[in-house]
Amino acid sequence: MEYTNYIDDAEVGEEVPLLQVIQFDLPIELRGERIDKAIAKVLPTYSRSRIQQWIEAGLVYDSDRKIQAKDHAMGMEHVRISIPSDPQNTAYQAEDLPLQVLYEDEEIALINKPFGLVVHPAAGNWSGTLLNALLHHFSECSEVPRAGIVHRLDKDTSGLLVIAKTLEAQHALVQQLQSRSMERKYIALVWGKTPLSKVIHGAIGRDSKDRLRMSLQASGGKEACTHLTTLYHASFENKPISLVYCELETGRTHQIRVHLESLGHALINDPIYKNKIPHQTALVLKNQLLDHAIQFPGQFLHAGLLGLEHPKTKEPIRLHVEPPSAFVQTLDFLNIPRTAWEKVFD
């Protein structure tokens, strides 16, 4: 499993404007602690990951001596942290955001992520993310890389995520993702009449012409495999629409959206992947949904089922959650019966 680390842009010796300078003396009772852990105890507002990044960037001093990541606290050090003016510095702060927790124990938590919530801080979204919420609700997540996030959902994809609350749990969950033993099922509403079933293979990488998009790659992309099953064929304004469920073998960025668009079945209301969609009909559908007070912010994609092995007890955990109300209302509007999609989560 690959992760992206978010590192301050400030380099050692680079002149940058300062947001603030924090100064304090380390308590003697923290003697022997790893220096980043000791500082995190004095500054609970900031995560340990953020403090480690400041140390690596050369922004943390003991008087006039630059603190090193390998250092241990002696007690009574006079610590000075020069924080650069950078929005990334808010990325790892705890925020009291609502969080729907469906399962929780000392090792893991399963979250029902609403559409519209960004999972991990990135350019344009340095706060208000799931990561910020996790640091508030589960203080132990500050000790785990990326606050325990092991897999992600797009901003406007709703549904289930598992969070690791310990390093051991995170390693075990990553191994399940790598071995493809974690069960992940999504339902999606797409344009066109889809095949009854299909296994979609196609390596995925960053689109060379549009950096906001991912695309199928003839070479250099990452292997990706999606299993598609059609649940129901419907229509709107004489244009075919399909309700499908997709099961992931791999978890590439925008995988389902890219794979379905490549077949000519882009997700309804997807703001990025919309090749070959009936644009005029799509606008009529959106307006009619608004007339019925149904507003959906992005693509109709919901991670409704998650199955895994508990990292400590080894017991199977399998949870499902219904789509958001706006998704269900849209299915009702299109006369797609509940029996067509409820069976996916049996």
Side-chain angles (χ1 to χ4, degrees):
M1 174 60 60
E2 297 180 0
Y3 294 109
T4 301
N5 291 316
Y6 290 85
I7 301 173
D8 287 319
D9 291 334
E11 298 291 339
V12 177
E14 181 182 358
E15 293 186 4
V16 294
L18 297 183
L19 174 64
Q20 60 177 316
V21 176
I22 299 176
Q23 299 187 66
F24 57 90
D25 293 328
L26 276 181
I28 191 67
E29 55 265 27
L30 295 179
R31 182 183 180 91
E33 294 269 17
R34 268 190 51 163
I35 194 67
D36 58 324
K37 189 173 183 180
I39 293 173
K41 288 183 176 180
V42 178
L43 300 176
T45 304
Y46 297 100
S47 73
R48 192 170 166 189
S49 296
R50 176 56 38 174
I51 291 167
Q52 289 170 344
Q53 291 169 5
W54 287 337
I55 292 173
E56 291 171 2
L59 303 173
V60 185
Y61 284 78
D62 171 16
S63 298
D64 293 327
R65 184 186 70 85
K66 191 180 298 181
I67 287 176
Q68 305 295 320
K70 63 182 180 181
D71 290 350
H72 285 74
M74 299 300 293
M76 301 308 293
E77 291 96 333
H78 182 71
V79 177
R80 185 179 80 255
I81 306 175
S82 300
I83 304 177
S85 181
D86 188 327
Q88 295 188 47
N89 292 320
T90 65
Y92 289 86
Q93 290 190 32
E95 295 181 36
D96 186 4
L97 303 172
L99 204 60
Q100 186 180 4
V101 182
L102 302 183
Y103 173 90
E104 179 190 0
D105 59 30
E106 293 182 352
E107 304 292 325
I108 62 173
L110 271 71
I111 309 297
N112 182 21
K113 187 192 87 68
F115 55 72
L117 178 65
V118 173
V119 170
H120 197 285
N125 293 286
W126 293 120
S127 63
T129 71
L130 175 64
L131 183 146
N132 300 112
L134 293 174
L135 292 173
H136 173 81
H137 289 273
F138 310 121
S139 59
E140 59 268 47
C141 282
S142 66
E143 299 293 317
V144 185
R146 290 151 295 277
I149 294 170
V150 295
H151 63 126
R152 308 187 192 190
L153 295 176
D154 297 337
K155 175 184 176 182
D156 290 328
T157 298
S158 57
L160 290 164
L161 286 170
V162 60
I163 305 301
K165 298 168 72 174
T166 68
L167 280 171
E168 293 77 13
Q170 190 176 56
H171 292 156
L173 292 170
V174 167
Q175 288 176 351
Q176 290 182 47
L177 286 166
Q178 290 175 330
S179 66
R180 304 183 182 182
S181 63
M182 190 177 291
E183 183 183 12
R184 291 173 290 167
K185 288 185 177 180
Y186 297 66
I187 62 170
L189 197 58
V190 305
W191 290 107
K193 188 173 183 178
T194 54
L196 292 180
S197 65
K198 186 175 182 64
V199 179
I200 311 167
H201 291 278
I204 293 175
R206 186 71 60 183
D207 192 300
S208 60
K209 297 180 180 178
D210 184 349
R211 304 303 293 174
L212 295 177
R213 287 173 51 94
M214 307 298 286
S215 62
L216 295 185
Q217 305 286 312
S219 63
K222 295 180 179 179
E223 175 196 0
C225 181
T226 304
H227 294 254
L228 177 146
T229 301
T230 295
L231 298 173
Y232 199 84
H233 286 137
S235 66
F236 177 77
E237 299 281 310
N238 296 318
K239 298 293 184 182
I241 286 175
S242 300
L243 178 66
V244 303
Y245 88 78
C246 298
E247 189 164 4
L248 296 182
E249 281 195 29
T250 54
R252 307 307 179 198
T253 301
H254 299 176
Q255 178 174 320
I256 291 174
R257 299 163 69 186
V258 172
H259 273 174
L260 290 181
E261 186 197 42
S262 73
L263 298 180
H265 301 300
L267 272 66
I268 290 178
N269 209 38
D270 194 317
I272 297 176
Y273 301 95
K274 47 189 177 181
N275 287 339
K276 300 181 181 179
I277 73 167
H279 291 279
Q280 187 60 40
T281 305
L283 181 60
V284 173
L285 174 60
K286 186 172 184 177
N287 288 334
Q288 288 197 19
L289 290 176
L290 288 174
D291 289 341
H292 287 76
I294 302 172
Q295 185 171 5
F296 208 79
Q299 67 278 352
F300 280 83
L301 182 62
H302 173 69
L305 187 145
L306 182 62
L308 54 94
E309 179 184 270
H310 191 282
K312 187 171 184 178
T313 69
K314 307 305 179 184
E315 293 293 322
I317 295 177
R318 196 170 186 264
L319 289 183
H320 63 82
V321 62
E322 288 193 358
S325 59
F327 199 141
V328 175
Q329 290 167 6
T330 301
L331 297 178
D332 292 341
F333 176 81
L334 293 170
N335 296 314
I336 298 176
R338 291 180 66 95
T339 53
W341 55 267
E342 285 181 326
K343 61 186 178 184
V344 175
F345 307 132
D346 291 341

